[in-house]
Amino acid sequence: MSAFSGPVPKAGIAGIHAYVPGKSGPKTGKVFKLSSNESPLGPSPKALAAYAATAGQALATYPDGQAKILREAIAARYGLKVENIVCGGTGSDELLQLLAHAYLQNGDEAIYTQHGFLVYPIAIATNDALGIVAPEHDFKADVGEILSRVTPNTKMVFLANPNNPTGTYLTFAEVKRLHQGLPSQVLLVLDGAYAEYVIANDYEAGITLVESSTNVVMTRTFSKIYGLAGVRIGWAYCPPAIADVLNRIRGPFNVSAAALAAGAAAMQDVEFIDAAVAHNSKWLPWLSAEISKLGVKVTPSVANFLLMHFETAEKAEAVDTYLTAQNIILRRVTAYGLPQALRLSVGTEEANRAVVAALTEFMK
Ligand SMILES: *Cc1c(COP(=O)(O)O)cnc(C)c1O
C-alpha cells in the first residue's frame, strides 16, 4: 500500500495525457485564431437567432431527451433514418467516448493511426484497453498497416476521415477495403468531423457503409463547418443495435435546449453551409500555393486546415513564436508526433492574407 490511500481510478487513466486545446492568444487587440479549425464564417444567422430564442423559459425546463428536432433536421438533410441517429451534447467527443465506454474493456485492443486524433487514445485508455498505433505513409492512413494489426483482441478501429491534423483522406474504396478486412465483431468508427468540406468525388463519409453493415458508426460534429464549436453538439449514425447501446448509456438530457435549437437551424441553413464550403474551396488552395511558394512543404489537405512542415522542430517553434507575436495563432502538433510541423486553419480572407504576409516576412 502506498502512503496515499484515496480512491483509485481505473489503471489506464494514469497513463493519459490530457488533451491540450489550441491556444487562444491574447485577449486584447485583433487576434487571428487559426489553431482549432473553427469556422471563419461563424454560425449561421438562423442558428444564432434560434439559440437566442431559447433564452427564456427554456433555461428552466429540461430539454427534449430524444433530441427530436435536431435528429429530424439531420435525417431530412441527409436522407437518414431518424432512429439510427444519436446526438452528443459535448460534441462528437462525447460520442467517441461513449462508443469506447460501451465496447472496450481491460484486455481489449483498439487501433488508431500514427497521427490520428488525440481523443482516441484518451477514450481507449479510459476504458483500460490497449491503444495500437498503425503507421501512416505520407501522413496518410494505410489500410494494410491497420489490418495487419488486427488480433483476436481487437474491438475497435478509429479512423478520422479526413484526418486531423494531417488533412489527408482515404477514398471510399479504401474505407470499404478496410471494412471488408475487419472481423464483424470489430467496430469501425469513421470520424467525419470535416466531411462537409470534402469536395473530392472519390470520398464518402460512410453513410452507406453504416446502413449496409452492423459494425460501422459514423460520427459528425457541429463544431467545424457549422461554426458551433462553443455550443458542443455532435451526432452519430449507427446500426440499430449500436444506437440502442448509446441510448442506454448516454445522459438522458445530454443535448441542451439551446444546442438543439441552434443545431437544427444550422442544419437547415443549406445556403450558409454551401457558402462555407465555397469559402474553404477558394482559400485552402490559395494558402497551399502561397505557402508552398515560400519553400515550406504543405501536406495536400481536403479539410479546412493545412499541415506545414519545417526542417526542424526549432524552426517550427520559431515560426510559431514569430506569428504569435503578431497575434496570429497556429497549432503546434508535437503531441501528434509532428514536432517540426504547424497546423493552420483556413481563416477569413484578412486572416489568410495576414498569415502569408507574416510567413513571407519570416522566411526572408
Ligand atoms: C474537431 C474534431 C472533432 C469534433 O470535436 P467536437 O467534440 O465535436 O467539437 C472530432 N474529430 C476530429 C478528428 C476533430 O478534429
Side-chain angles (χ1 to χ4, degrees):
M1 280 295 291
S2 71
F4 176 73
S5 60
V8 178
K10 284 188 278 186
I13 291 174
I16 291 176
H17 300 283
Y19 187 86
V20 180
K23 289 182 296 180
S24 289
K27 294 281 180 286
T28 54
K30 182 153 209 167
V31 178
F32 297 118
K33 181 175 186 283
L34 305 170
S35 59
S36 298
N37 300 341
E38 293 140 331
S39 175
L41 306 189
S44 149
K46 290 175 183 161
L48 263 182
Y51 183 92
T54 62
Q57 188 56 24
L59 293 194
T61 52
Y62 279 101
D64 171 21
Q66 303 300 320
K68 191 165 179 290
I69 59 163
L70 183 55
R71 288 162 64 231
E72 283 179 351
I74 295 165
R77 172 80 166 91
Y78 291 106
L80 308 182
K81 299 194 179 77
V82 181
E83 62 274 20
N84 295 344
I85 298 169
V86 180
C87 292
T90 43
S92 54
D93 282 353
E94 177 182 13
L95 298 160
L96 297 169
Q97 289 281 0
L98 286 176
L99 287 164
H101 192 40
Y103 292 97
L104 293 179
Q105 58 187 318
N106 190 13
D108 292 341
E109 295 173 4
I111 301 173
Y112 59 98
T113 67
Q114 185 180 358
H115 305 298
F117 188 42
L118 281 177
V119 167
Y120 311 148
I122 295 174
I124 295 164
T126 299
N127 294 286
D128 272 350
L130 188 62
I132 304 291
V133 179
E136 298 183 4
H137 296 291
D138 291 331
F139 307 102
K140 200 180 119 178
D142 184 301
V143 170
E145 298 282 13
I146 296 171
L147 290 178
S148 73
R149 281 165 180 76
V150 173
T151 76
N153 295 328
T154 306
K155 294 290 155 55
M156 291 179 84
V157 173
F158 289 96
L159 179 74
N161 197 30
N163 184 50
N164 169 22
T166 55
T168 56
Y169 76 107
L170 292 188
T171 65
F172 194 48
E174 289 174 287
V175 173
K176 281 191 286 197
R177 186 161 72 86
L178 170 61
H179 176 246
Q180 276 157 17
L182 291 175
S184 61
Q185 76 275 10
V186 176
L187 173 60
L188 173 61
V189 179
L190 298 174
D191 177 349
Y194 302 94
E196 297 84 358
Y197 283 112
V198 185
I199 51 177
N201 288 328
D202 55 2
Y203 172 82
E204 229 189 271
I207 289 171
T208 55
L209 211 49
V210 171
E211 289 178 341
S212 62
S213 73
T214 54
N215 65 332
V216 181
V217 169
M218 174 188 72
T219 60
R220 302 282 284 264
T221 183
F222 284 85
S223 300
K224 304 291 158 55
I225 203 163
Y226 297 96
L228 292 171
V231 184
R232 315 299 304 125
I233 337 167
W235 56 282
Y237 195 47
C238 315
I242 295 179
D244 177 56
V245 165
L246 293 180
N247 281 324
R248 285 167 196 255
I249 65 172
R250 70 176 172 83
F253 306 101
N254 64 331
V255 186
S256 74
L260 294 175
M267 184 56 70
Q268 286 158 351
D269 196 347
V270 176
E271 254 173 60
F272 188 83
I273 301 311
D274 288 348
V277 174
H279 177 89
N280 199 64
S281 301
K282 174 176 176 186
W283 290 102
L284 180 74
W286 184 84
L287 281 167
S288 188
E290 294 297 318
I291 293 168
S292 298
K293 277 188 218 160
L294 301 174
V296 177
K297 255 223 220 118
V298 176
T299 298
S301 169
V302 295
N304 68 332
F305 55 86
L306 283 174
L307 193 63
M308 303 186 282
H309 303 268
F310 299 92
E311 292 82 10
T312 62
E314 290 68 34
K315 178 102 183 258
E317 187 174 3
V319 172
D320 186 46
T321 303
Y322 179 81
L323 293 177
T324 300
Q326 304 188 36
N327 283 358
I328 300 172
I329 315 300
L330 268 53
R331 179 61 164 268
R332 293 218 61 192
V333 281
T334 306
Y336 285 90
L338 298 162
Q340 80 299 353
L342 292 175
R343 194 192 67 195
L344 161 69
S345 306
V346 174
T348 59
E349 172 171 356
E350 185 186 9
N352 300 335
R353 292 193 186 281
V355 171
V356 168
L359 272 176
T360 305
E361 196 55 38
F362 181 88
M363 301 304 279
K364 270 187 190 162

